[in-house]
Amino acid sequence: MSSKVFFFPPTPPRSPYYNLAIEESIALHMVKSNLIAGIRLWKNPDSIILGLSENPYRNIKEHVVTAYETEAKGIGFGKKPKPNFCYIARRASGGGTVFHSMSGNINYSLYFNLEERKELFPVKDSYDHILGIISKSLSPQNIQSYPKGKSDLVLEKDGVFKKISGNAQFRKRNCIVQHGTLILEESLIAQVSEVLHHPPEEPDYRKERTHKDFLTSLPSFFSEEKWAIDLVREVFHYLNLPSPTDFSKISFFGKDFSTFRKQVLRESEIIRKKKYQNPEYTLHREIPT
């Protein structure tokens, strides 16, 4: 393949279990496919995404858990999203519990080959480098963001830092994956308050603020399309590679990545069915053998 870096653009809506399985499958196959990095942008339907060690009964309001358990015991889950339903899912990374929606936020995942980027081995250094990439990608739209806490990005509003992005990481087979979310609409914040309790742990700078007072959205002029281009360019700059002029040449769905894509999609189906959409994993971290 001519490119060693892939770009996985947003796709039609899928369940969070499909999206999380794709993410893990990419990590399992990227390094052995001789790739050095990847960028993925994606969205979930209304979903609560637990960190790997989070307790759903502590973090999520009871009526949401009950509705999820009823659905899981009944019809179950597939690839495509269910209308008028709030999913619960557990990701492979640590960190806190977050809420996603199709219009309220956009998710990004950055993948790096640790054999090629050894400076990312130390956890703190990896967050510093990758948060820097995200922050720089927002700058061309005159959005000045700052790292705060362990893995957040914030905007300063009237002298107060408000969170626009939370990040978390996992590592598999010499691939580091850092994923995060950017809040696009203020309406998402109201939804967070409806489904999530105040987190049991919080960064010092939060200072016990409610979701409404702590979170904020990107400005209304923010362009997802422009940001996608700027994010890809920042990743290539970090890798000391020339920025692509034709994104079709780096597309995950292009011919150059056909073998890699087939491997990822095949294994993601196994992971999705066995792990991510299994309520025992979601609620209790148990995976059947």
Side-chain angles (χ1 to χ4, degrees):
M1 61 184 69
S2 58
S3 176
K4 294 292 186 180
V5 182
F6 70 88
F7 173 58
F8 193 139
T11 57
R14 293 288 186 270
S15 76
Y17 313 118
Y18 173 89
N19 282 324
L20 293 170
I22 286 283
E23 189 158 66
E24 181 172 338
S25 187
I26 288 174
L28 293 173
H29 289 278
M30 194 185 85
V31 174
K32 70 179 182 181
S33 298
N34 297 314
L35 299 173
I36 61 172
I39 306 105
R40 182 183 177 219
L41 301 179
W42 49 289
K43 292 187 175 185
N44 273 332
D46 285 5
S47 306
I48 295 166
I49 312 297
L50 294 155
L52 183 61
S53 300
E54 294 286 272
N55 181 348
Y57 302 100
R58 169 63 184 84
N59 290 274
I60 304 171
K61 293 191 175 178
E62 184 178 359
H63 71 278
V64 183
V65 178
T66 300
Y68 164 82
E69 290 177 320
T70 299
E71 195 76 11
K73 292 175 183 177
I75 299 172
F77 306 107
K79 287 185 190 179
K80 294 185 178 180
K82 295 176 179 288
N84 305 312
F85 179 70
C86 183
Y87 287 90
I88 300 175
R90 186 181 297 277
R91 61 183 186 265
S93 62
T97 301
V98 295
F99 177 75
H100 294 169
S101 79
M102 289 298 297
S103 63
N105 71 289
I106 185 168
N107 304 305
Y108 53 84
S109 302
L110 300 185
Y111 308 81
F112 293 100
N113 183 327
L114 286 170
E115 295 174 357
E116 299 285 338
R117 309 303 304 192
K118 290 181 170 51
E119 72 275 12
L120 297 178
F121 270 109
V123 173
K124 183 181 185 305
D125 292 350
S126 64
Y127 275 117
D128 289 344
H129 284 295
I130 299 173
L131 287 174
I133 291 170
I134 303 299
S135 183
K136 289 174 185 175
S137 72
L138 296 170
S139 294
Q141 298 192 55
N142 294 317
I143 298 171
Q144 300 305 313
S145 59
Y146 309 91
K148 202 74 176 169
K150 178 186 176 182
S151 57
D152 295 345
L153 282 179
V154 300
L155 300 182
E156 186 175 359
K157 291 192 171 184
D158 300 322
V160 177
F161 290 116
K162 291 198 169 190
K163 179 177 175 179
I164 55 161
S165 174
N167 289 255
Q169 290 183 5
F170 68 92
R171 305 177 182 211
K172 289 185 181 292
R173 297 184 184 176
N174 282 325
C175 178
I176 179 174
V177 184
Q178 180 162 316
H179 48 200
T181 179
L182 288 173
I183 301 176
L184 302 175
E185 296 181 350
E186 288 289 330
S187 59
L188 179 91
I189 300 168
Q191 289 178 284
V192 170
S193 299
E194 292 172 1
V195 298
L196 297 182
H197 294 298
H198 192 92
E201 297 182 13
E202 62 178 34
D204 291 342
Y205 80 97
R206 180 165 182 160
K207 298 179 180 178
E208 300 184 355
R209 284 180 285 171
T210 64
H211 296 305
K212 180 180 178 181
D213 292 332
F214 178 58
L215 303 173
T216 192
S217 63
L218 288 166
S220 59
F221 58 75
F222 173 74
S223 165
E224 295 178 49
E225 293 76 17
K226 175 170 173 45
W227 175 65
I229 295 170
D230 292 330
L231 178 60
V232 170
R233 286 176 177 165
E234 284 299 331
V235 170
F236 274 74
H237 178 74
Y238 168 68
L239 296 169
N240 295 313
L241 295 173
S243 295
T245 55
D246 183 354
F247 273 41
S248 68
K249 299 294 185 184
I250 63 169
S251 174
F252 176 82
F253 299 102
K255 63 180 181 179
D256 283 354
F257 296 97
S258 60
T259 300
F260 174 59
R261 179 174 64 253
K262 288 174 184 176
Q263 292 171 339
V264 167
L265 296 178
R266 186 184 304 117
E267 183 146 4
S268 72
E269 280 298 281
I270 298 170
I271 297 171
R272 175 177 66 86
K273 293 173 182 177
K274 183 176 182 180
K275 179 179 178 181
Y276 286 106
Q277 70 182 40
N278 186 323
E280 290 303 309
Y281 174 71
T282 299
L283 297 176
H284 309 293
R285 283 189 66 183
E286 295 179 4
I287 306 174
T289 56

